[in-house]
Amino acid sequence: MFFYEGQSCPVCGKRFAETDDIVTCPVCGAPHHRACWQADGHCHFESAHGTPEQWSRTANTATEDAPQSTRAENLCPHCGAPNVQYAEFCGRCGGALNASEWQSTPPHQNGTPYHEYTPFRTGFDPLGGVAHNEPFDEDVTAEDLAVSVGANTMYYLPRFQKIRDGRAVQWNWAAFLITPYWLLYRKQYVSGVLVSLFYLVYFALNYLVFHMSGALSITDADPFMVSYEAGYLPVLFLLSIAMLVIHLLFGLFANYLYLHTCKKRVRTAKETDPADFRTTLKSLGGVSLVWGAVSYFGINLFTTIIQMVFTSL
């Protein structure tokens, strides 16, 4: 049975076909073509969320004479809202429904019935299974955090949920491998600038130490031994250890720090413009490709210049 049979995409107006790539709104459950959702960037019925006019399947389905089994209640374990029997995500909060509650015996193509419905997850949940109204603080909800995060909310919201529940350590590969670029890409300017400055100092001192060790060496001396005896190698070693520690700390605690940054932005937006804080929050949060690129090319340009300077001495 096709779950969206008889329904149409609210953006393009076309009836859904069984082979269409369909995503559903985590707030009201309204189905959209994936391409149409991406074109709009949000649910077509976003302005009606939380009002009596909010989209509902029963009010918009074109198959009112469908068998009663397709309208069987499937209670959401997160918010308690009833859902139709074949629903994979809750129509109210967007949370994933328990597989054990998807009871059905639809006919198989060869005539033999399934003993239990196995969900085929073609739906798209922007919050990664976290309820949109789930509280993360007295004045901060999951939906607020999603607006602050902007991109890749499916990754960050479930991890924020675990951090809130006591698991502060959540490994982040991007924060570990490309620390300064990730920080500035995520608009964490203070820590991003500080780590970038450490990068510049690190590379400058590396070139300086190698230049000085080369200047002290004589023709028949080993440059390595000269650097060691002059005390330069321990300096390089300590700098490398400090760099590794910085990367490890951000790899382990970047998500924890980012959650607190997002909460702070939510509160700032609400204080700045209580009536329309989401618009302010979008500008405060999200990501910045410009700052990520500036940090990357800036650090590489600086190291190139430093190398050229010491090579010419």
Side-chain angles (χ1 to χ4, degrees), residues 25-30 43 45-60 91-93 132:
C25 173
V27 178
C28 66
C43 175
F45 304 104
E46 186 179 52
S47 60
H49 288 170
T51 69
E53 290 74 31
Q54 176 171 301
W55 187 95
S56 67
R57 178 178 175 83
T58 54
N60 290 271
R92 176 190 290 173
C93 71
H132 75 99

Side-chain angles (χ1 to χ4, degrees), residues 272-293:
T272 304
D273 187 4
D276 189 22
F277 76 93
R278 290 280 170 81
T279 301
T280 304
L281 186 56
K282 285 181 180 179
S283 62
L284 291 175
V287 296
S288 175
L289 287 172
V290 173
W291 276 107

Side-chain angles (χ1 to χ4, degrees), residues 23-27 34 37 89-90 93-96 121-132 153-155:
V23 300
T24 58
C25 173
V27 178
R34 183 181 295 275
W37 176 285
F89 298 102
C90 176
C93 71
R121 291 181 174 269
T122 58
F124 171 74
D125 181 11
L127 303 187
V130 180
H132 75 99
T153 54
M154 290 184 68
Y155 170 86

